[in-house]
Amino acid sequence: QVQPVESGGGSVQAGGSLRLSCAASEYIGREYCMAWFRQAPGKERERVARIHPDGGRQYADSVMGRFTISRDKDKNTLDLQMDSLNTEDTAMYYCATSPPEKTGGCPVFFSGYRYRGQGTQVTVSS
């Protein structure tokens, strides 16, 4: 299996926007959970957003209303549109995908995802 590959990271000023993409051609058409995680220096990795195979989306409270997760089946990518960025959003961002858990839900932790990318850096300056 091929690892997902993230792109689109970079440096932006507070209030700006970035769009991250995750090349995931092997997984987009499957009934898999797909998610974005991030890890800031000195902090634990957290799930930012995820899409369930049924299309349901879930976001961390800290990004609700500012970030949008989506699947592009034409480009075979998992995207994360990030608007109104602030310095607290500075982190390494990771894409991950996995079959749902036996309960039907999506894994909460990064380690619970079967296929994980290497990350792309996002830096927001004030």
Side-chain angles (χ1 to χ4, degrees), residues 15-31:
S17 299
L18 279 175
R19 187 176 184 88
L20 305 183
S21 284
C22 173
S25 60
E26 291 200 32
Y27 313 108
I28 287 291
R30 299 185 186 184
E31 296 295 305

Side-chain angles (χ1 to χ4, degrees), residues 54-119:
D54 65 9
R57 291 164 171 77
Q58 195 170 58
Y59 297 92
D61 289 344
S62 57
V63 306
M64 186 80 70
R66 300 188 298 120
F67 289 13
T68 304
I69 189 172
S70 61
R71 285 180 295 211
D72 189 322
K73 294 187 178 180
D74 291 331
K75 295 190 298 182
N76 291 321
T77 59
L78 175 72
D79 298 332
L80 185 69
Q81 177 65 39
M82 306 186 295
D83 298 317
S84 301
L85 286 161
N86 58 59
T87 56
E88 297 291 308
D89 297 317
T90 294
M92 185 72 80
Y93 284 72
Y94 302 87
C95 170
T97 182
S98 187
E101 297 182 315
K102 291 180 181 179
T103 58
C106 291
V108 174
F109 300 106
F110 191 63
S111 59
Y113 283 77
R114 189 177 296 179
Y115 308 106
R116 295 166 281 178
Q118 295 296 307

